Amino acid sequence: MAVQSNGDVQVSWVAPADPDNFFSKYEVYSSSNPAGPYTLVGTVNAYSTTTFLHVGAGANVASKYYYLKSYSGCTGLADNGSTSDTLRTMFLTVSNAAVGFADLSWNQMHVPVLPSAAAKYIIKRRSTGVGAYAVIDSTASLTYRDTIDIVTGK
């Protein structure tokens, strides 16, 4: 999953096996609470399409939870039992508890960490507020302290 700067969420997945070509659809469900209720936010009808953009998700304000359901069968109506794990969008919190530092913290997408997840989080920074982000570090922790310089013009 990828949270866009406007809070939309790009959900991506690996297509499940469909050796008999009975694929019907994918359904994408979302909630603001891990216990639900979950709402159907999108349907993808093409087997080879493995992304869905949840427009208006609001994941730039708080974490959102997602799971995916895959349907197949002779009639295209029977659930083949393929439901994904529930994943949580990462939500970054930044505080400035000490002058000259930015304290970053975020959540895991799944507990326990999925075997397919990267071992470390990549920390990037954009110095001027515009342009590309540059990698500054990586960590296995859910927190990071970055030294910041504040320059004032005189």
Side-chain angles (χ1 to χ4, degrees), residues 115-138:
S116 59
K120 291 189 173 187
Y121 299 96
I122 306 299
I123 310 297
K124 295 181 179 183
R125 181 188 326 136
R126 185 170 63 185
S127 298
T128 63
V130 295
Y133 284 88
V135 174
I136 60 168
D137 208 344
S138 65

Side-chain angles (χ1 to χ4, degrees), residues 133-149:
Y133 284 88
V135 174
I136 60 168
D137 208 344
S138 65
T139 180
S141 175
L142 294 175
T143 61
Y144 184 82
R145 177 170 265 192
D146 187 18
T147 304
I148 55 175
D149 295 319

Side-chain angles (χ1 to χ4, degrees), residues 3 58-64 88-93 105-107:
V3 176
N60 57 339
V61 178
S63 285
K64 301 296 178 182
R88 178 182 182 188
T89 58
M90 289 178 65
F91 187 74
L92 175 66
T93 302
S105 63
W106 56 90
N107 58 276

Side-chain angles (χ1 to χ4, degrees), residues 6-17:
N6 66 355
D8 294 351
V9 175
Q10 179 81 37
V11 181
S12 302
W13 59 90
V14 175

